[in-house]
Amino acid sequence: MKRPALLVPIMALLASTTPVAAAPTPGLVADPLASPMWDNHAAWLLGKAPVRFDPAVIVTMPDVTENQHVFPVTVDARALGKVQRIVVLMDLNPLPVAIDYQPQGALPYVSLRIKLDQRTPVRALVLTADGVWHVGGRWIDAAGGGCSAPPVSRVKGDWAQHLGEMRGKLWHEAADTRLRVSVRHPMDTGYVDNIAAYNIETMQVRGADGAALGTMTINGSVSEDPAFTLLLPPTQAGPVSIHMADSNGRTFDGRLAP
């Protein structure tokens, strides 16, 4: 399988530029979380598209950050109907975008684990077919250091022996088919001394007929050994294939049957 193309050049932008203070986007609704970085992020991520802070975007997170290196976040936007993109954003992280997900044949739902470098709003930005961005999220307290401490596998020194090992499960539920997949990878941010940035960059999920179910751009602010849960339509009966590629050009493939 060919390496999937990036959805949008978000990661390249992050690598090549440092966000600078920007004037509020014309017509942008005031941020209910009063984040000092929201106008900046909205300007370079959303442009002049209309934005709605919407309770229909359900972002589920723990109230307490027990481990800033592994913080679970679930985004459920099924109430919005057809969704084109889901972006998970941490306003005050040095790597603010965790994922940019296109739920092509999948339902607009994703669960993952992220790193938190300090107290920050954690949000989901959801683009619907009418060109409107729907935003949900809240402030999360964190001790800090999630992006600037080495991953456990680097400390143990065994990361290379297990690089790319993939595990997953695909099972039917009453209203959908649930897919969970994880892969062994250090997900280095580049903010640790003498450790260059190195992370999974893309993931693509395809059905038995080869049709794309979901495509995701992934950044180093996703936790070490990333794990994702997606929801597929209940009619998804056959096996699915999973293709990942990292920033060093390595690819990892897996196949799951219900």
Side-chain angles (χ1 to χ4, degrees):
M1 181 184 294
K2 294 183 178 179
R3 177 174 175 174
L6 293 179
L7 303 184
V8 292
I10 287 180
M11 298 306 107
L13 181 61
L14 284 171
S16 61
T17 65
T18 300
V20 296
T25 303
L28 187 66
V29 178
D31 177 20
L33 301 183
S35 165
M37 289 298 294
W38 168 250
D39 288 340
N40 180 283
H41 290 320
W44 67 271
L45 273 173
L46 312 182
K48 296 183 179 180
V51 176
R52 181 180 303 158
F53 294 96
D54 194 340
V57 179
I58 301 172
V59 184
T60 305
M61 301 175 284
D63 293 326
V64 177
T65 306
E66 295 183 356
N67 185 342
Q68 64 268 27
H69 305 284
V70 184
F71 185 76
V73 177
T74 297
V75 180
D76 187 345
R78 287 175 289 179
L80 295 176
K82 184 63 177 177
V83 164
Q84 295 182 341
R85 288 168 61 191
I86 298 174
V87 176
V88 174
L89 173 73
M90 301 82 73
D91 288 25
L92 305 183
N93 258 25
L95 296 173
V97 173
I99 62 166
D100 187 343
Y101 174 46
Q102 269 190 335
Q104 292 145 304
L107 303 180
Y109 175 104
V110 60
S111 182
L112 69 156
R113 302 175 302 199
I114 62 175
K115 305 180 182 110
L116 296 177
D117 213 51
Q118 60 178 304
R119 182 175 186 264
T120 180
V122 176
R123 312 179 193 255
L125 319 179
V126 179
L127 178 64
T128 47
D130 58 1
V132 175
W133 285 94
H134 303 256
V135 181
R138 59 186 171 91
W139 280 90
I140 294 295
D141 286 321
C147 294
S148 54
V152 173
S153 60
R154 289 284 189 183
V155 176
K156 293 173 63 178
D158 64 345
W159 67 273
Q161 287 80 9
H162 301 283
L163 182 68
E165 291 178 358
M166 197 180 298
R167 295 182 180 181
K169 184 177 181 181
L170 181 69
W171 70 99
H172 296 300
E173 295 185 340
D176 50 59
T177 299
R178 190 169 292 255
L179 166 66
R180 181 170 176 82
V181 61
S182 65
V183 62
R184 295 291 302 273
H185 203 283
M187 297 299 289
D188 296 312
T189 62
Y191 289 95
V192 180
D193 288 344
N194 302 316
I195 300 178
Y198 179 43
N199 60 278
I200 298 287
E201 286 188 327
T202 57
M203 178 176 75
Q204 189 166 63
V205 180
R206 292 185 177 275
D209 59 356
L213 298 172
T215 305
M216 187 182 297
T217 300
I218 303 168
N219 195 15
S221 47
V222 171
S223 295
E224 176 186 10
D225 300 339
F228 303 98
T229 299
L230 310 179
L231 294 186
L232 309 180
T235 54
Q236 183 64 42
V240 300
S241 61
I242 300 155
H243 177 81
M244 298 185 186
D246 72 16
S247 54
N248 277 2
R250 293 181 173 87
T251 58
F252 316 107
D253 293 278
R255 188 172 183 271
L256 292 172

